[in-house]
Amino acid sequence: MKNRGATILAIIGAALLILPLVVHDTFVLRVLTEGVMWIGLAIAFDVIAGYTGYLNFGHGAFFGIGAYTIGILMMQANLPFWAALPAGGVAAAVVALIAGIPTLRLKGAYFAIATWALSRAIQQLALNVEFTGGPDGMRLEAFLNPQFFYYLMLITVGATFAILWYLLERAPFGLKLKAIREDEEGAKALGLNPTKLKMQSFILSALPTGILGGIYAYWITFIDPSSTLGDLVSDQAVVMVVFGGMGTLFGPALGAILIFAFKTIFWAYLSDFQLLYLIILGALIAISVIFIPNGLWGTMFKRKADATRPQHQPEPASEPAALSAVAAPEEGN
């Protein structure tokens, strides 16, 4: 099964790499580039929301911080793009570290509201200070090379997926986050340090988001508070992850592909009905929570596992119980 999964990933990766050699339409390539970006934003959001169990409605703030960091460094400090790009991720990670100190003490809806308030505060700051351009936004120098941005976005998202796959699905770090998600007090009893692990998860979610925001700013060449720091980035990430399947990496990627495809078609034919799009996003969350709580990916594989498991075979052990053998010896982590 693992070999089959690796083969499928290799085929998809090869297809994505050769795609610009086949697709010569600039518009199509721009759509594909944005689609890849949303996959990256969704899997980064899933680190804190799906694996750790903390729904972050300030995810879009990290995207905007990365975008504005790139814009300010390139246009006001005259730094080249490659020198400014890492700073976008670092700036988002630093804000996550500072914001995480008070907000990660909260749980459930209180954490969600706190991160939403953080996002709104950063948006208001960008609207009222001069070095961001205020409500008029900021324009960057144009670099008209669609293939460059496609490959840059693809490599960034691919590297993010690979690193997160190892940390969350192969290393003990992922099991520790799942233990916090299932039972935080139980995780403490196993010798884990939830505060430290939640902070690491928050930063790990923010870092690639800030880098993707920086690439987006240079690609689009114009940023303003409503487009990069608005609620839509966070809202769409929530829908993509919940609809695709939280706590997996393939689920958010699947959700991102489907939701972005729907968004592209919707805006192509129904762009005058912006409110309707938001209503549909809300309805998708409600439908997902009620009818497919494990998301599309989790539901498909649960049914497959139920169909192939012999009737006399017991259910697998719960995650916290399975984790105890790994986590107990590692006190203070």
Side-chain angles (χ1 to χ4, degrees):
M1 183 63 71
K2 291 181 180 179
N3 291 336
R4 182 183 301 176
T7 302
I8 293 173
L9 282 176
I11 293 173
I12 294 174
L16 290 173
L17 284 172
I18 65 173
L19 202 56
L21 304 177
V22 180
V23 177
H24 301 291
D25 189 294
T26 302
F27 172 75
V28 174
L29 198 57
R30 286 179 67 89
V31 170
L32 293 172
T33 302
E34 187 177 352
V36 172
M37 181 192 75
W38 278 108
I39 292 174
L41 291 174
I43 62 177
F45 175 82
D46 195 43
V47 176
I48 186 69
Y51 282 88
T52 316
Y54 279 69
L55 199 60
N56 173 24
F57 277 104
H59 191 63
F62 301 133
F63 180 79
I65 288 168
Y68 269 103
T69 300
I70 289 289
I72 292 169
L73 291 178
M74 289 184 66
M75 302 310 298
Q76 298 182 20
N78 296 318
L79 283 180
F81 171 71
W82 292 111
L85 181 59
V90 172
V94 170
V95 172
L97 174 63
I98 297 171
I101 294 173
T103 59
L104 288 172
R105 298 177 184 272
L106 306 172
K107 297 180 181 179
Y110 298 104
F111 175 79
I113 293 171
T115 51
W116 174 81
L118 169 69
S119 177
R120 301 296 292 182
I122 293 174
Q123 184 185 37
Q124 290 301 312
L125 178 65
L127 281 168
N128 289 282
V129 294
E130 293 184 3
F131 60 84
T132 63
D136 297 328
M138 179 182 295
R139 188 170 296 279
L140 286 73
E141 293 183 4
F143 181 61
L144 305 178
N145 190 333
Q147 289 81 9
F148 168 81
F149 288 107
Y150 173 82
Y151 280 119
L152 180 58
M153 201 74 78
L154 181 64
I155 292 170
T156 303
V157 172
T160 300
F161 186 94
I163 292 170
L164 293 181
W165 174 261
Y166 173 77
L167 290 175
L168 301 175
E169 297 293 342
R170 291 291 177 263
F173 179 69
L175 290 175
K176 295 173 184 178
L177 294 185
K178 292 176 184 178
I180 294 172
R181 180 189 68 194
E182 298 300 329
D183 185 357
E184 190 165 331
E185 294 301 319
K188 288 182 181 178
L190 293 174
L192 301 180
N193 185 342
T195 302
K196 177 182 176 182
L197 290 167
K198 289 186 294 184
M199 183 66 74
Q200 292 172 343
S201 173
F202 204 29
I203 293 172
L204 189 61
S205 175
L207 180 63
T209 304
I211 293 175
L212 290 172
I215 298 172
Y216 174 84
Y218 191 38
W219 174 44
I220 297 299
T221 72
F222 176 77
I223 54 175
D224 67 333
S226 62
S227 64
T228 56
L229 289 166
D231 294 332
L232 192 58
V233 175
S234 298
D235 294 345
Q236 288 190 149
V238 171
V239 177
M240 290 170 177
V241 173
V242 172
F243 185 64
M246 299 177 72
T248 68
L249 289 178
F250 288 103
L254 176 62
I257 293 169
L258 295 177
I259 297 300
F260 178 72
F262 167 75
K263 172 193 171 186
T264 303
I265 295 171
F266 184 94
W267 287 110
Y269 296 100
L270 296 170
S271 58
D272 293 333
F273 301 93
Q274 298 182 20
L275 182 60
L276 177 61
Y277 178 70
L278 297 176
I279 293 172
I280 293 173
L281 287 184
L284 279 175
I285 292 180
I287 291 170
S288 300
V289 170
I290 296 172
F291 297 104
I292 48 172
N294 295 318
L296 288 178
W297 188 264
T299 301
M300 289 189 300
F301 275 83
K302 185 176 185 300
R303 289 179 178 176
K304 184 177 179 180
D306 292 342
T308 57
R309 183 186 300 121
Q311 292 185 357
H312 64 274
Q313 182 176 338
E315 291 286 331
S318 63
E319 249 174 355
L323 176 60
S324 60
V326 177
E330 303 188 16
E331 291 197 21
N333 292 327

